[in-house]
Amino acid sequence: MATRVSVQNRVRGSGVHDGFLRHNGFYWAKIAGVISLIALLVYIGIDVKPRPSGGSWYGYTLGTIGALLILWLTMLGVRKRAMTSGRWSLKSWTSAHVYLGLSLIVIATLHTGFQFGWNIHTLAYVLMMIVILSGLFGITVYSVLPRSLSNNRNETTEPQMLEGLRAVDRQLHEAAQPVAQHYAELVRSSLEQDPFGGGLWSRLSGRYPRCATRLAKAEIRRETVHMPKLGDEPLERIDALLEKKEAMLARVRRHLRIRALLEIWLYIHVPMTFALIAALTAHIVSVFFYW
Amino acid sequence: MTFIVRTVSRTADGRVIIRPTLVDKETIGIGRDATNDIHLADLAVEPFHAAFTRLPGGRVLAQTVGGLGFAVDGRSTKRAEIDANRGAELRFGGHLLTLAMEDGVATISVERTDALSDATGEKDERTVFSLAGLLPGKRLGAWTFLILILAACLAWPVYSWATWHDVKTRPVGFHADKMWSSGPLSQAHRALENNCQSCHEKAFVSVEDNKCVACHIGIHDHADPKRQINAMAPPNFGKRVQNGFKSVFGVPTGQRCVDCHTEHQGAGPMPATAQAFCTDCHATLKSRVTDTKLADVSDFGTAHPQFRPAIVTDSSGAAPIFRRVSLDASPIQSNGLKFPHGTHLSATNGVARMAQTMKSEQGWDNALACKDCHKPTSDGVRFQPVEMERDCQMCHSLAFDRIGGTVRTLRHGQPAQVVADLRAYFRSTGPVRPISLGGVERRRPGNYAASQTSGNYASGLRNYGGGADAAISAVFTKGGACYDCHVVDRTGDANSAGWRVRPVVQPTRFLQKGWFNHEAHKTDKCETCHKAATSETNSPIMLPGITTCRECHGGESSRADVPSSCAMCHSYHIDASAPWRAKRDVSRAKGQGRFVVPAGYLKGAVR
């Protein structure tokens, strides 16, 4: 048994990739699980009078643990700016951050004694849950999306994607020079639309209902559908280029969508963490203020 | 030489390349078509967009050809006369044309200023793929939320406290420190909901007892406070942890009102004090307060001593003597009365026959029932004392004489009067004078019969008064009207011929420390608990023992039909009225929906 463990350790040490989630054989997951289980068992086991609440001895204990834990979890933001290895490596720290953060769901919920209301105390709890749930979302997208991100990119880099768009734009611009103003405007609308525009919702959903490229292509096709295909008509070339641009945009937008999903949670996670710390401060001060 | 067209372009590193072309025409065309003199490869420009015509005096006429306009010095137009000496900027789509006069020649420099497309414009490749431009920065959000919440949830409530903490009653409206409240106040304190300062007086100082007793002035200590401190069990682990937190934050750890009466636990009635608050001390009280007469109690269902009702042990003196005796000792009560319940409740004996006889008159059944003599008090909690005149006399008549149609009765409860009435009865009537006794003439010798009659009459007259004494004795001794129901002593005064009827004591409340409510149990028959039908004398106490109660009642956390904490029968601040919990249950049962504070409980009432 001991030999097997040491072999595993050696393999792990030899550089095989091992994400922060399964870091060190789920070491922190186990610790967080044990903490949660103990908290839960004690909650079930003890008979707090008149009813479980943050003001019971158990409530105080869990509250203290929870508050310190929240402050420590926040320190990841400081810690991640210094990358080290070893026992307290950033990966280990992140692993602890994730699992201890999840154990807060149990600790803080039991701390409340399930007493909720329209007050600062519940606000702190709600903010904490928003932070945890956004973090949970983050873990999920981090474990799922990078693969599809790289699949979608098809071995191109972001600058290459941008350059591709520029190239097709230049070709469109060139191809549209001889055509009538009416068609030139359609092409221009495609050129002038920001391929990265569309707002947050478009980013997250991948829907661009007013995509000028698609509209231009549709309009040109509608008007040229009866024309004979001669092969040297500028409109045919424009049509082909718009189709190429549309495919390119689709890929870029999938890329943007995945990146947005990978990033968006931090826009909730981080500000809400600070909101939580403010609410936590108000919660603690208020408890002792109106003892 | 009419126009010089200078085409300006820039290399990637910003270097400017100028290609001048000389156009010797009076009118030059501008457009996307390559045949134009000024060829603008710009999709916003028509193939033949406009024309510049040289006018005398260094003026140039710019005029649209295709119909689309252009901008001159920022204003869009379709036709403009421009003084080339003063110069002008013209915009065609993404191109900027600068018109100027150089050495008498109109010079037009042409430069594409707009990017070919949005993608070819300036894009920061590091941020364009991220959300950075779409959302306010994380740091900005973090600081905004931090400040907003601290201001709204900390600074504002503190301001509310600072503004209102010295008033008695706050005006109605929202006060920011309300958002600190951990929950609604109980029904009884609902009126204080708006006035945090009525309990929370000083900042960072916990609620003090004086805030409670300011209103609850009638509250007295459960026991001697010093003994109470001694009575407290050593804190368990949880309590030690809590005391640790308390002492760190400067909260007293002794006995305080709020130790039991926790507020902000919900808007309903304040919960009854939990069993644990009592058993903390009482479960092992004897080990700490060794001289206590109280037995250890930890749970009604499993560890509660037998009831010890206060019963009359001696009613012979001026005042009856009560003693609390355990029901396990089968106590005998000495209340001055003899009353066989069994005889009266029998369905087959003479009592039952009498009940049947008087059925229509008294509204009885075929035998007597408890309710025929025991009348509940108006609140239903217990029973009124039995009264001779109301509850006994219909059968147990005290009649002794009839004058005409009037029946004379002995006075109940007044032995001296009974004695006097009996003496008067025997004095006011004599033996009937024999008719053969004749007149007052001298009796002749030899008339023996007359002599005998006379002698008998004289003897009768002489002895008639002694009949009163015998009758009096008969009433007060075995078989007499008093004796059958009362304990009669031979210690009375001369007025009562030496007889003394012991005062009857009918306790209406046997359980002095606990509380029993008949009203709450009226769905049960009396016989379920009180074994009256088989009781042949009144002396054994017919109170049910704890075993009977435990058939339905168990401890607070038991599976009994009625889980009962201490508060159901006992009150910490005990007084003559029911415990709070019992009162609340009754008021709820009666649909009042609100806790009724007993009269005299709050400030200003007379106790």
Side-chain angles (χ1 to χ4, degrees), chain B residues 229-266:
Chain B
I229 296 287
N230 292 338
M232 287 170 72
N236 58 13
F237 175 73
K239 194 81 185 161
R240 280 206 302 278
V241 172
Q242 190 166 32
N243 286 347
F245 279 102
K246 283 181 172 178
S247 56
V248 167
F249 295 103
V251 177
T253 53
Q255 290 191 343
R256 300 157 64 225
C257 301
V258 291
D259 286 342
C260 298
H261 304 290
T262 38
E263 260 300 350
H264 297 288
Q265 299 287 347

Side-chain angles (χ1 to χ4, degrees), chain B residues 75-114:
Chain B
R75 280 177 45 222
S76 60
T77 179
K78 290 191 172 176
R79 186 178 186 281
E81 266 190 39
I82 302 157
D83 185 352
N85 294 310
R86 293 167 68 181
E89 275 193 353
L90 294 95
R91 177 164 286 279
F92 289 82
H95 283 77
L96 188 69
L97 277 60
T98 314
L99 184 65
M101 194 66 88
E102 282 179 20
D103 305 326
V105 183
T107 310
I108 303 167
S109 63
V110 178
E111 184 179 7
R112 179 167 194 124
T113 52
D114 287 4

Side-chain angles (χ1 to χ4, degrees), chain A residues 111-133:
Chain A
H111 166 67
T112 66
F114 300 93
Q115 286 182 311
F116 300 109
W118 295 101
N119 52 37
I120 175 66
H121 319 291
T122 301
L123 175 69
Y125 178 80
V126 169
L127 289 172
M128 187 204 72
M129 291 307 287
I130 291 174
V131 172
I132 293 176
L133 292 179

Side-chain angles (χ1 to χ4, degrees), chain B residues 339-375 386 390-396 526-527 532-533:
Chain B
F339 184 82
H341 274 95
T343 304
H344 284 81
L345 289 170
S346 168
T348 53
N349 66 0
V351 176
R353 187 71 198 97
M354 191 148 186
Q356 289 155 18
T357 310
M358 298 168 71
K359 198 170 166 180
S360 58
E361 180 190 327
Q362 297 288 338
W364 290 336
D365 210 339
N366 284 328
L368 288 182
C370 306
K371 67 176 168 52
D372 294 334
C373 302
H374 294 285
K375 305 279 183 266
V386 170
R390 186 186 63 201
D391 303 317
C392 310
Q393 212 170 27
M394 67 288 264
C395 299
H396 296 277
C526 310
E527 295 86 351

